Amino acid sequence: MSFFENPIKPGDSFELNGNAYVFPLGKFNGVPYEVGKAARVYQVIRNDTSLYALKVFFKEYQNFSIIDINRPFKDFLDLPGLKVAERVVITTDDQEVLNRYPQFRDAVLMPWVAGKSWQNFIIDREEVEFFDGLNLSRELAQIFTEFEKRHLAHCDLSNGNFVFSPDFSNVELVDIEEMYGDGFTPPSPLPVGTEGYAPLRVVENGYYGLDADRLSLSILIVEILCWQFEEVRQAREPNSLFASDEFGYLSKRYKLVIDKLSTLPEADGVNKEKILQLFNQAWFSRWKDYDQKIEHSNIKDMYSECPLASDWLDALGKRPDGVGDPILEVSDTKIDFGTIDFNKETKISRSINIKNIGTGTLLGEIIPQPWIVVSPSLSFALPAKKELSIDVKLRSNGSEFEKKGQYRFPKGLVVSTNGGTKVISIRFRKLKTDLWKWIAVGLACLALAIPLLRQIPIGPPRATLTPISIKRSYTPTAKPTVKPTPVTMVRNYLDNARISIFDEFDTDKGWLLSAGTIENGILKIKGNDWNGPDRKGSFYEGNGIVVKFRFTNEGDFEVFFDNGEFSTSSYRRLGIYINDSKPSTNIWIGDNLSYTDTFTGNLKMEPGKWYCLLMAIGEEGEFLVVIWDPSNLTQKLIYHYTLTSQIWSDKTWGFRIGANAGTIYFDDFERIVFSNFSDDYQ
């Protein structure tokens, strides 16, 4: 079994130390997580306002020394480049989290840092202008000069362990678990460095000490300064410029770099002669003796002969004061959509301006509530003194909190950047109709409809209404013995399907229980005049549900999505009836019911047995229903509604369950999202 035996799904969440963390439904930085040699890193949203990274270590790297190493970091939060030093470790005391995700033991939560790593430029051979490279080199030298003052070392400084903004400043370090510091617990095993930035025997055996960054910093600075030259980019190793076994030798790459360093452009504060001197000092610090295991060589001595970060800062010149300090400003922290008639208005939008009034590049992420659409992008990089217009569209009413007819959302939208965070509140009013006018109209319609209603049976026609004399008994509170629905079954019918919410019915927090109870992890509804619960929240095109169900003898119930007020011309419904073990459609347009039992398939349902139900909403009213036996996936029924029309477009749907007879049981409710219906069913 995979170590990650309980995989994380978009929309999942957990609570830790009073804070809520949610795995986002979308992809904010290209991928939902990254994988390194020791851990997998996920992006999460904390308290709906800030982006955080969750670093989950592989099993062989989980140990309690990680907790000891993380403790002193709080003393260095003031240092540049150490944003990720704000950390929380998940320990064995956090059993509620570990019970759900056992792989989170010793995992670390820290602020998310956005930007590119130098490794991206190495692998892609992407050209860097000299002055951009100079900015980046200066920033690295500045950070590690401060490290030296505080007796710190990263111990695995390499091209993949720092990220920076598009203007090649604002550097942030990552992977700091193996840092050296006074009083820090040495990691076990020792940090081995990275090929191309640490000497060969360190890559093989490891090293932990105050001077561990001197060689790697020297290599990185020279690599960055020379990356403007095509010959240098073409001469690289697969993942670095140099190989670890060439340090100290007169290699071809060494000679090429020496030649290019002598031709660097002139720049204020840059001492090219000293740059050449420092590079040679690092390159020839007896690495050849060390790699040949000459007796007098010692790794600490080798590192101590390399230049200090402060030496490099003197040779490169400090960056001008104020450069690289972005400051966020937004045009408004309150959005009022006014009074809205959701039955008529489908594109309700406002705009805000995001400004960077600082002097460095503003890197940001926009974190909206699920019922808010933001364009043109959820992420941005804004140069100094520039601004960006953001369109904010209200999809539907996403709140359960109303005060005097007004809906307020204190955290409707969050703009989180490296230059500050702004929280934008959103409010609106729903259009109210003249209540007495509609009551009068309703009574008049009812008077006209009563003669017709007496001739039409309520609900779908039944095969028989004759009571059955022989009754069978069941054990309704027993949990299903089958495992939760595999998403692979759903993906037979829906492209890019994934679970956004999984509800085990351990609480009723996701439901409005006007009827029905939750007992032993199962939703139980006794049939009575189509009563039943509503699911909280809204559904849209590209959404669906999967749920397990079973029913007693003479079970008569319905499961459906709907929009608008029942018995009005604007009402829409997409759903199914199940009556006496037989499914039929439950599709309404206004006050007209479309009833059919033309399901295809070989499944014959019977009372007392658990089944799975998939219902999915596509564009313009396309609707799919699949019912199957989870113990035998070949036994299934399918209904696909494909009549397209604008009368179904851009609707906000509610999800409801109703029961008329018998007792109905539901378990393992899943909300799903998908991109399209599959062309061919498998």
Side-chain angles (χ1 to χ4, degrees):
M1 180 179 292
S2 169
F3 166 58
F4 290 89
E5 57 187 27
N6 190 6
I8 297 166
K9 303 178 290 293
D12 281 359
S13 63
F14 63 93
E15 291 189 4
L16 185 68
N17 300 337
N19 295 304
Y21 297 90
V22 178
F23 295 90
L25 296 175
K27 295 180 179 181
F28 284 80
N29 280 319
V31 291
Y33 60 80
E34 298 174 352
V35 179
K37 61 185 177 183
R40 181 170 290 178
V41 179
Y42 296 84
Q43 189 182 66
V44 293
I45 303 173
R46 187 176 82 162
N47 298 333
D48 295 331
T49 62
S50 357
L51 293 176
Y52 268 64
L54 173 67
K55 188 168 188 176
V56 180
F57 293 94
F58 296 117
K59 202 162 191 177
E60 59 268 31
Y61 287 91
Q62 288 181 342
N63 59 72
F64 288 102
S65 68
I66 289 175
I67 301 173
D68 295 331
I69 292 167
N70 282 310
R71 285 174 181 160
F73 286 154
K74 66 181 183 299
D75 299 329
F76 304 101
L77 289 171
D78 60 311
L79 287 180
L82 276 184
K83 182 178 179 180
V84 298
E86 178 195 327
R87 304 159 81 80
V88 175
V89 180
I90 299 176
T91 72
T92 52
D93 294 334
D94 304 307
Q95 279 303 313
E96 186 172 345
V97 177
L98 295 180
N99 285 342
R100 184 174 184 186
Y101 297 109
Q103 67 267 38
F104 284 9
R105 198 196 83 179
D106 296 338
V108 180
L109 279 157
M110 67 199 88
W112 183 269
V113 291
K116 272 191 172 183
S117 73
W118 181 244
Q119 187 177 64
N120 299 133
F121 289 84
I122 295 289
I123 293 174
D124 297 337
R125 288 192 172 97
E126 184 178 345
E127 182 181 358
V128 173
E129 297 293 335
F130 169 69
F131 285 98
D132 287 335
L134 180 60
N135 285 340
L136 182 56
S137 298
R138 284 171 168 170
E139 193 71 17
L140 283 170
Q142 180 70 56
I143 287 173
F144 284 94
T145 296
E146 296 301 318
F147 268 41
E148 289 173 350
K149 293 177 182 177
R150 302 284 284 273
H151 298 277
L152 295 174
H154 186 280
C155 293
D156 188 15
L157 179 59
S158 65
N159 58 26
N161 284 343
F162 65 95
V163 297
F164 49 92
S165 57
D167 62 353
F168 292 83
S169 62
N170 193 42
V171 171
E172 293 291 344
L173 302 175
V174 296
D175 291 342
I176 64 173
E177 286 76 28
E178 297 174 321
M179 276 182 59
Y180 173 90
D182 291 341
F184 282 34
T185 303
S188 178
L190 295 177
V192 294
T194 300
E195 171 73 27
Y197 301 95
L200 187 60
R201 282 168 61 186
V202 171
V203 173
E204 293 173 350
N205 302 315
Y207 178 76
Y208 184 70
L210 177 59
D211 40 23
D213 299 332
R214 292 195 188 185
L215 176 66
S216 53
L217 178 64
S218 300
I219 297 299
L220 279 167
I221 288 174
V222 169
E223 193 175 71
I224 292 167
L225 292 175
C226 291
W227 209 245
Q228 61 183 299
F229 301 110
E230 175 67 18
E231 301 98 311
V232 173
R233 297 196 299 275
Q234 292 303 321
R236 67 153 172 79
E237 288 285 297
N239 297 306
S240 60
L241 174 55
F242 298 110
S244 285
D245 60 1
E246 68 181 295
F247 298 145
Y249 293 85
L250 296 174
S251 66
K252 289 183 179 180
R253 276 187 288 245
Y254 163 77
K255 293 176 181 179
L256 174 63
V257 167
I258 287 294
D259 178 61
K260 296 304 181 184
L261 285 176
S262 64
T263 64
L264 292 178
E266 300 294 331
D268 290 342
V270 175
N271 187 331
K272 290 196 293 182
E273 183 178 342
K274 189 169 184 179
I275 289 173
L276 279 165
Q277 174 196 331
L278 295 177
F279 176 55
N280 279 320
Q281 180 183 339
W283 189 265
F284 292 109
S285 297
R286 291 188 287 158
W287 298 117
K288 181 162 53 173
D289 291 348
Y290 184 77
D291 286 335
Q292 292 176 351
K293 302 183 180 179
I294 293 177
E295 186 175 346
H296 68 266
S297 64
N298 179 282
I299 185 61
K300 181 175 177 59
D301 293 339
M302 302 302 101
Y303 273 131
S304 64
E305 292 179 4
C306 292
L308 294 167
S310 55
D311 296 332
W312 279 110
L313 191 59
D314 289 340
L316 297 168
K318 297 181 180 179
R319 66 175 172 86
D321 291 340
V323 173
D325 296 326
I327 302 174
L328 170 67
E329 182 178 273
V330 296
S331 58
D332 199 350
T333 56
K334 296 180 180 179
I335 298 178
D336 190 344
F337 283 95
T339 302
I340 302 170
D341 182 354
F342 281 104
N343 291 321
K344 295 181 179 179
E345 300 180 68
T346 58
K347 294 184 178 180
I348 308 155
S349 65
R350 298 290 185 270
S351 64
I352 60 171
N353 286 336
I354 296 174
K355 300 178 182 179
N356 179 8
I357 61 175
T359 53
T361 299
L362 185 72
L363 298 175
E365 307 282 352
I366 302 174
I367 307 170
Q369 294 289 341
W371 40 272
I372 290 289
V373 177
V374 174
S375 60
S377 175
L378 290 172
S379 60
F380 59 88
L382 200 57
K385 310 303 179 183
K386 299 293 183 180
E387 64 180 83
L388 175 67
S389 179
I390 297 294
D391 183 69
V392 182
K393 179 182 175 183
L394 181 66
R395 296 183 69 171
S396 71
N397 169 25
S399 173
E400 301 152 18
F401 305 102
E402 180 184 9
K403 185 176 182 181
K404 297 182 179 179
Q406 182 165 264
Y407 292 82
R408 294 177 179 270
F409 313 95
K411 297 178 182 178
L413 198 69
V414 177
V415 183
S416 178
T417 75
N418 59 342
T421 297
K422 296 291 185 181
V423 178
I424 299 171
S425 65
I426 294 177
R427 63 181 179 180
F428 65 88
R429 291 180 179 272
K430 293 183 69 174
L431 181 66
K432 292 185 176 181
T433 58
D434 187 331
L435 179 62
W436 294 108
K437 173 183 174 181
W438 286 108
I439 290 176
V441 172
L443 290 173
C445 292
L446 182 62
L448 293 172
I450 285 175
L452 296 174
L453 291 173
R454 287 173 176 169
Q455 304 173 39
I456 302 174
I458 296 176
R462 300 187 180 188
T464 177
L465 295 177
T466 305
I468 299 175
S469 58
I470 300 175
K471 302 292 183 181
R472 287 175 284 183
S473 61
Y474 305 96
T475 54
T477 58
K479 291 281 285 183
T481 57
V482 296
K483 295 181 179 179
T485 306
V487 76
T488 51
M489 180 65 179
V490 175
R491 287 175 179 160
N492 290 337
Y493 304 95
L494 305 173
D495 292 338
N496 302 314
R498 62 186 187 276
I499 299 169
S500 62
I501 294 176
F502 179 64
D503 186 348
E504 297 180 287
F505 291 111
D506 51 350
T507 70
D508 63 356
K509 64 180 181 181
W511 299 85
L512 297 174
L513 287 178
S514 57
T517 59
I518 291 178
E519 302 174 3
N520 300 322
I522 291 178
L523 172 62
K524 174 182 176 182
I525 307 172
K526 291 185 176 180
N528 179 21
D529 196 24
W530 303 109
N531 60 4
D534 297 352
R535 178 73 189 180
K536 294 180 181 178
S538 300
F539 292 76
Y540 311 95
E541 295 171 357
N543 290 179
I545 65 97
V546 178
V547 68
K548 293 187 179 72
F549 70 90
R550 75 172 180 175
F551 51 90
T552 59
N553 195 46
E554 295 187 346
D556 190 10
F557 64 101
E558 59 185 358
V559 182
F560 60 90
F561 300 100
D562 72 344
N563 170 272
E565 185 177 352
F566 185 72
S567 79
T568 65
S569 60
S570 62
Y571 183 72
R572 301 287 181 269
R573 178 186 292 189
L574 294 168
I576 63 167
Y577 287 112
I578 294 180
N579 170 252
D580 197 23
S581 304
K582 185 177 182 181
S584 59
T585 60
N586 184 4
I587 297 174
W588 291 72
I589 302 175
D591 54 359
N592 295 312
L593 168 65
S594 172
Y595 168 81
T596 178
D597 58 0
T598 55
F599 280 69
T600 61
N602 55 0
L603 175 65
K604 294 183 179 180
M605 291 190 294
E606 57 185 80
K609 188 172 181 178
W610 286 99
Y611 298 96
C612 290
L613 167 67
L614 160 67
M615 297 200 314
I617 307 169
E619 295 181 353
E620 298 181 339
E622 187 173 8
F623 181 55
L624 176 70
V625 179
V626 184
I627 305 171
W628 70 92
D629 182 346
S631 63
N632 183 355
L633 301 184
T634 64
Q635 300 291 310
K636 55 192 173 184
L637 292 171
I638 301 173
Y639 176 80
H640 191 187
Y641 181 84
T642 57
L643 178 62
T644 59
S645 170
Q646 290 297 317
I647 64 173
W648 298 100
S649 296
D650 202 17
K651 299 294 183 185
T652 300
W653 302 90
F655 177 77
R656 314 182 196 287
I657 299 172
N660 188 46
T663 303
I664 322 300
Y665 305 91
F666 295 89
D667 193 24
D668 290 345
F669 177 88
E670 298 168 359
R671 176 173 177 150
I672 58 174
V673 294
F674 63 96
S675 59
N676 297 292
F677 288 92
S678 298
D679 292 333
D680 297 307
Y681 297 150
Q682 301 176 9

